[in-house]
Amino acid sequence: SMKFETNVGSTDRIARIAVGAALVVLALAGVIGAWGYIGIVPLATGFIRFCPAYTLLGMNTCGKQV
């Protein structure tokens, strides 16, 4: 089984959820078009606290982990 270690910190998480939600809402309202549904990606990564791109790039915004 695959284990995903949290690599999205609190500030990063809040920003991802806010931006993702805003994009989806704007897309639903027809303001920015269908491309706004890309906001689902940061929304999902914010909720699950794991970003596959961060893993590939060796990044982690969680700070120190014990």
Side-chain angles (χ1 to χ4, degrees), residues 11-46:
T11 303
D12 191 4
R13 181 179 190 209
I14 292 166
R16 286 170 181 265
I17 292 170
V19 170
L23 285 171
V24 171
V25 168
L26 290 171
L28 286 170
V31 175
I32 59 173
W35 71 269
Y37 290 110
I38 195 71
I40 292 170
V41 174
L43 197 56
T45 58

Side-chain angles (χ1 to χ4, degrees), residues 2 4-5 7 16 50-60:
M2 292 177 63
F4 297 117
E5 288 196 26
N7 63 3
R16 286 170 181 265
F50 174 76
C51 178
Y54 276 10
T55 300
L56 292 173
L57 297 170
M59 294 176 62
N60 186 334

